[in-house]
Amino acid sequence: MKNIAVLGSACGQNLKAIVKYFENKDLSVTAVSDIENSNFLQTAEKLNIEHKFLPYEQNFEYFSSHDFDIIALSDYKRRLESDVLKLGKFINLHPSLLPAFKGPDAISRAFFSGVKVSGVTVHFINDDINKDTVIAQYPVLISNLTHYDEFENEIHALEDLLYPIVIEKLLNNQVFDFSDLIQNCGSCSGCRHD
């Protein structure tokens, strides 16, 4: 059985998508948060999965004593230290097409900057933020008629669709391809690739 940890600080939207995607597969998901009583941990409790409050200072001790195939960050607010990153395969989901709009508030910064294409990136985390390696990206078009709420909702829907697929590809030592996303979409209503 494969084991993954989902490490988050805020809400648990991506956690829900990951758990739902893998619910009938041979995979164990553990939710870990650096914020006690966070919405993230409350979501994990509602999903009835293993969950743990983990202060930032205890990351090395915890991840060195647990064997996770992947540690997937989901709106985790702090940069992990290099000694922690050496303990496993850490990946992150970011709501822009990196290297554009690094850091917080990427969705609003992209939208209000006037760009016509943004999107979602999944990347490996390295100890140098400028050397993080892209695993997968998928674009979202922004037309002149697109409202901010529509764009934000489309980014979040794409995150929930993309992240579990990329995690599964990594677990199986496969490479993500655009067709993987379209095949797993199920229905193209509301998508912009139909």
Side-chain angles (χ1 to χ4, degrees):
M1 176 183 278
K2 302 277 187 179
N3 296 300
I4 68 167
V6 182
L7 183 58
S9 298
C11 71
Q13 184 59 40
N14 301 132
L15 177 63
K16 286 182 198 175
I18 291 167
V19 170
K20 182 178 179 189
Y21 185 87
F22 288 106
E23 67 186 349
N24 294 318
K25 299 180 181 179
D26 197 21
L27 179 84
S28 171
V29 179
T30 301
V32 181
S33 180
D34 62 331
I35 298 177
E36 196 168 14
N37 300 318
S38 64
N39 288 338
F40 188 84
L41 290 177
Q42 291 172 22
T43 298
E45 189 169 348
K46 289 176 188 171
L47 292 168
N48 199 30
I49 63 168
E50 186 176 338
H51 54 283
K52 175 178 181 49
F53 163 60
L54 180 66
Y56 181 80
E57 300 75 21
Q58 295 176 17
N59 280 339
F60 183 84
E61 179 185 343
Y62 180 76
F63 289 113
S64 63
S65 63
H66 289 77
D67 188 22
F68 293 110
D69 295 284
I70 290 176
I71 300 99
L73 278 66
S74 175
D75 202 17
Y76 191 69
K77 300 297 185 187
R78 299 182 72 172
R79 185 77 185 173
L80 295 169
E81 295 181 1
S82 59
D83 62 338
V84 173
L85 293 173
K86 293 174 185 170
L87 298 173
K89 190 181 289 185
F90 288 82
I91 64 172
N92 186 46
L93 176 69
H94 188 75
S96 78
L97 294 177
L98 292 174
F101 305 106
K102 291 180 182 178
D105 303 320
I107 297 173
S108 62
R109 287 187 297 122
F111 185 83
F112 293 112
S113 74
V115 298
K116 296 302 173 195
V117 180
S118 189
V120 174
T121 301
V122 180
H123 61 95
F124 287 112
I125 304 171
N126 299 305
D127 53 1
D128 180 347
I129 194 167
N130 295 311
K131 294 181 180 175
D132 289 350
T133 306
V134 171
I135 302 165
Q137 291 185 311
Y138 205 85
V140 173
L141 302 178
I142 307 169
S143 78
N144 292 335
L145 301 176
T146 302
H147 292 276
Y148 175 75
D149 291 346
E150 294 172 320
F151 173 64
E152 182 179 38
N153 288 339
E154 191 166 354
I155 290 287
H156 291 314
L158 181 58
E159 288 176 331
D160 289 346
L161 184 61
L162 181 66
Y163 211 18
I165 294 168
V166 172
I167 291 170
E168 183 175 47
K169 290 290 181 182
L170 289 172
L171 289 170
N172 294 320
N173 294 317
Q174 298 172 333
V175 176
F176 171 81
D177 184 82
F178 283 116
S179 63
D180 297 320
L181 187 63
I182 295 168
Q183 290 170 1
N184 283 282
C185 184
S187 167
C188 284
S189 60
C191 296
R192 294 202 177 164
H193 54 71
D194 55 352

